[in-house]
Amino acid sequence: MNKMTKIVTTLLLASSLACATTLVSVNGTNITQEDVDTALMNATQGRFNQVPADKQAEFRKQVLEQLIAKELVYEDAQKTGVLKSKDFKEEYEKVQERVKKDLAIQVWQKQQFDKVSVSDKDLKNYYDNNKEEFNEKSSVHARHILVKEESEAKAIEKELKSLSGEALKNKFIELAKEKSTGPTGPKGGDLGFFAQGQMVPEFDAKVFSMKKGTISEPVKTQFGYHVIYLEDKKAKKVLSFTEVKSFIEQRLKMEKFKVVVEDKMKELKNKATIK
């Protein structure tokens, strides 16, 4: 995955945090999609998109279970007087002081960052001199039906082979919900869009050789046998300056910001008494 794809993916993940859909309520306390997405971002250091597609649903489920467990334990701690105990109060005071210091540092950094500016000329120069960063790989939108035995996969292929167009797509979704053992089964086997190189090699090689609106013969991987339906395909392209301008601005601002902070730290150290 190239640098620009990582940036775009990170921003897309960040935008999903705006969703506040309640997934479950624990004794009146809501756990939202935002809570799960934030926990996923933290657990994977912002690289949830690099988790294999067929494992993402299970990972989300595990994170949701952990959040539920946290709520249950916190509620019990309240009921059993933990929040009023001496141990809790002493630790809470230490945490408050650390949070106060960390928050002050974060606000200071933000204020320093907001002062940094980059000219349009610098942005365009960076784009013109680094176009290789803005190559977007070809990507596909695919569905799959995953089963354990090759005979099952061949039977599914046979059932679908005579169909085409919407009839093929609708029947594929129906069979995925009914027969697929993968976590995407309930969603009609939908894997969404993904770039070349993100799936296991056997799956990747087949899906990127297919034509839109067709199915594959059974494909064997470490997970079992897949029948693939290719829903859409996007050719690789170079992103335009307009599309990446804001990303370049953030990158160049961050580079300038690092220099500003280094200079500021030297100034503060020179004025300080450090023994």
Side-chain angles (χ1 to χ4, degrees), residues 163-171 213 229:
L163 302 175
S164 61
E166 283 299 306
L168 172 59
K169 178 180 175 180
N170 292 337
K171 186 63 176 178
Y229 172 75

Side-chain angles (χ1 to χ4, degrees), residues 208-243:
F208 279 92
S209 69
M210 293 171 63
K211 291 182 180 179
K212 181 179 173 180
T214 64
I215 63 166
S216 72
E217 67 275 11
V219 178
K220 184 181 180 181
T221 72
Q222 66 202 70
F223 305 107
Y225 290 86
H226 309 255
V227 178
I228 307 167
Y229 172 75
L230 184 60
E231 189 157 323
D232 200 1
K233 203 168 192 176
K234 291 181 181 177
K236 62 181 180 180
K237 67 172 185 175
V238 178
L239 297 172
S240 69
F241 175 65
T242 302
E243 289 177 294

